[in-house]
Amino acid sequence: MNLFSVGFRTLFYKESLRFWKVATQTIAAPVVTAMLYLLIFGHVLDGRVEMLDGVSYTAFLIPGLVMMSVLQNSFANSSSSLIQSKITGNLVFILLPPLSHAEILSAYVGAAILRGVVVGFGVFVITAWFAHLSFVAPLWILVFAFLGAAILGTMGVIAGIWAEKFDQLAAFQNFLIMPATFLAGVFYSIQKLPPFWLAVSHFNPFFYMIDGFRYGFFGKSDVSPWTSLAIVSVFFVVLAAIAINMLKRGYKLRH
C-alpha cells in the first residue's frame, strides 16, 4: 500500500472536502450539542458530584464530551459517505480505479479521523473555558484521540458496507454506537456503578478509549492506560481486518 499514491490522496481529499463543504452541519452542530450537554450536566451536578479525587465534575465531563464527539463524528463521516455512494450509484467510481483495498480503507478512515479530531478540538476550545484542565500526559491524549477516531472510522466503513439503506445505518448507530458511547463513562466513572454494571462496562471497548483519553488530562483513570491501549489496539486490528475482508469480497458492493 502506497499512502502517497495519487489514488489514495484523491480519495482522501474527496472525503475530507465532503464534510468540510458543509462545516456548519458536520462541525459546528456537534460542537453546539456538546456545549449543551456541558451546560446542562455541569450546571446541575458540579459541586454535588465528584468522580475523581480533586477534580470538579465539569472538568471531569469535558474530556468525556470531547472524546464522545470524536468517536461519533468519525463514525458518521465514513458510514454516511459509503451509504450515500451506494444509494446514488457512484460507488463504482471508487471500485474501478486501481486502488488497493488497504488504500480505500485508509482514505475513508483518514478522512474520518480528520473530521473527528477537528470536531473534538472545537468542543475542547469551547468547553475548556468552563473548568481548569491540566495536561498530565498529553501524549496519551493524542494516542487515544487518533486511535479512537480510527476505530470508529473503521466501524463506519463496516456499517456503510453492510447497510443497504439509511434506516439500517441509523439502526446501527442508534442501537450500537450511541449506547456503547453513552455507557462508556462519558458522564460518570464506572467505579460508581453497582458490581454487575461495573463488570459489564469492562466488556465495552468504548470505555477504554474514553478512560485512556481522560487519563491524559488528570493522570487518573479507572484502569491502567496501558491496559486500555492494549485492548483498544487489538480492537482496531480486528475491525480493520474485517473491513479489508469485506472490501476484498465485495460484500454488498458488487451487485
Side-chain angles (χ1 to χ4, degrees):
M1 179 185 68
N2 182 7
L3 293 183
F4 299 100
S5 68
V6 174
F8 167 80
R9 286 186 281 113
T10 301
L11 183 55
F12 174 78
Y13 176 74
K14 174 252 185 190
E15 289 301 306
S16 301
L17 190 63
R18 175 181 164 274
F19 77 80
W20 195 257
K21 283 287 188 179
V22 286
T24 302
Q25 176 186 349
T26 58
I27 298 176
V31 171
V32 172
T33 300
M35 182 68 177
L36 292 175
Y37 277 125
L38 181 68
L39 291 176
I40 294 170
F41 285 94
H43 175 72
V44 172
L45 297 176
D46 199 28
R48 297 187 174 97
V49 176
E50 186 178 81
M51 294 296 171
L52 295 176
D53 292 337
V55 178
S56 69
Y57 181 76
T58 298
F60 173 87
L61 182 59
I62 289 173
L65 291 176
V66 171
M67 193 59 171
M68 182 179 74
S69 301
V70 170
L71 300 180
Q72 291 182 348
N73 285 276
S74 297
F75 174 84
N77 200 71
S78 53
S79 61
S80 62
S81 178
L82 273 168
I83 193 66
Q84 286 177 359
S85 294
K86 288 171 69 175
I87 291 175
T88 58
N90 62 27
L91 186 62
V92 64
F93 299 112
I94 305 297
L95 300 176
L96 283 178
L99 281 169
S100 70
H101 303 108
E103 286 176 320
I104 294 174
L105 177 63
S106 298
Y108 276 105
V109 173
I113 292 173
L114 179 61
R115 174 176 167 183
V117 170
V118 168
V119 172
F121 181 74
V123 171
F124 173 77
V125 169
I126 296 298
T127 58
W129 292 92
F130 293 86
H132 172 70
L133 293 174
S134 56
F135 298 91
V136 174
L139 183 59
W140 283 114
I141 296 174
L142 295 176
V143 167
F144 280 102
F146 281 91
L147 192 53
I151 288 174
L152 269 293
T154 306
M155 290 185 73
V157 171
I158 294 172
I161 293 174
W162 168 79
E164 296 178 351
K165 50 187 178 180
F166 282 104
D167 290 348
Q168 292 177 329
L169 185 61
F172 193 101
Q173 184 162 11
N174 293 333
F175 295 107
L176 179 60
I177 303 300
M178 290 289 287
T181 304
F182 277 95
L183 297 176
V186 172
F187 302 98
Y188 56 85
S189 167
I190 67 166
Q191 299 302 326
K192 305 294 184 180
L193 297 175
F196 174 77
W197 291 109
L198 175 63
V200 170
S201 297
H202 283 93
F203 290 94
N204 182 0
F206 287 51
F207 156 68
Y208 297 98
M209 303 178 209
I210 293 173
D211 195 56
F213 183 76
R214 185 176 278 126
Y215 174 85
F217 288 90
F218 307 118
K220 302 175 182 179
S221 58
D222 292 325
V223 300
S224 166
W226 290 104
T227 300
S228 295
L229 179 61
I231 293 173
V232 169
S233 298
V234 170
F235 190 53
F236 172 66
V237 171
V238 171
L239 288 177
I242 293 172
I244 289 289
N245 182 259
M246 293 174 78
L247 288 169
K248 285 182 177 178
R249 291 169 51 203
Y251 178 75
K252 291 191 176 182
L253 294 175
R254 298 172 182 170
H255 61 76

